[in-house]
Amino acid sequence: MSSSPTRQLRLARIAMVVQAAALAALIGLSFPKYLDYLLHPLTCTPDQWCLDFRGLDFLISMTFLGPPALLLLVTSGLWRRPRRWPAVLPIVFDVALIGLVIYDAVSVARTRYDQNPPVLIQVIFLLVPAVASLTLLLPFLRRQADSLPPPSNRTNIPS
């Protein structure tokens, strides 16, 4: 399939925006518990010791998934022209995300414990967009590397 570099770039940018939206959706899955934490605080008597962790998963997901989502959106905006350097950030993020989801799926299969978010949600919202983004970015970079002029064989030696 031979497509122009600008079309591949546009598809890669769309994939990055979809990936950022998937991260935002994953963050949004934990928002109802946080909202419940804010609207319905626990009431404890003075002789009880109460810990309320209902909003903790939202805060953790915002802390760990919010910056990469923002990074993907900023990279997509920077990549309006065909340049190579903005591709480094999403490629590193995609590889790390694929490795993390695979590691998490293997560890859940070994221990059989429930987790939040479930592995199926991680595969749908994290793994699929990361693989799609990676498969669009790598051919684009390969095509750009092929279109670069060959390095000069002359050396600048002062006489």
Side-chain angles (χ1 to χ4, degrees):
M1 178 173 144
S2 174
S3 61
S4 68
T6 56
R7 182 167 185 237
Q8 282 184 335
L9 179 63
R10 185 170 43 103
L11 289 175
R13 287 181 62 213
I14 289 171
M16 285 189 288
V17 170
V18 167
Q19 191 174 6
L23 290 173
L26 194 59
I27 292 169
L29 287 175
S30 60
F31 185 69
K33 289 180 185 177
Y34 182 70
L35 198 58
D36 183 45
Y37 165 74
L38 291 178
L39 298 177
H40 305 289
L42 290 179
T43 54
C44 298
T45 60
D47 60 341
Q48 289 179 326
W49 192 48
C50 296
L51 294 175
D52 190 6
F53 294 116
R54 289 179 292 171
L56 186 62
D57 55 346
F58 174 74
L59 296 174
I60 290 174
S61 65
M62 276 295 291
T63 302
F64 289 105
L65 297 178
L70 186 62
L71 177 80
L72 288 170
L73 289 175
V74 167
T75 302
S76 176
L78 287 174
W79 221 9
R80 292 183 186 202
R81 293 184 298 136
R83 295 183 271 189
R84 291 178 65 184
W85 71 266
V88 172
L89 301 173
I91 287 175
V92 169
F93 178 69
D94 288 341
V95 169
L97 201 59
I98 290 168
L100 182 67
V101 171
I102 290 172
Y103 171 77
D104 203 24
V106 168
S107 68
V108 166
R110 285 185 183 165
T111 59
R112 307 239 185 242
Y113 68 92
D114 291 336
Q115 65 179 25
N116 190 19
V119 173
L120 180 62
I121 299 286
Q122 289 182 27
V123 167
I124 292 171
F125 286 107
L126 297 176
L127 188 65
V128 171
V131 168
S133 173
L134 196 60
T135 57
L136 288 169
L137 289 171
L138 291 178
F140 174 75
L141 289 177
R142 187 176 313 142
R143 174 175 268 183
Q144 268 200 332
D146 291 343
S147 67
L148 290 175
S152 175
N153 290 336
R154 291 185 294 157
T155 58
N156 295 332
I157 300 174
S159 340

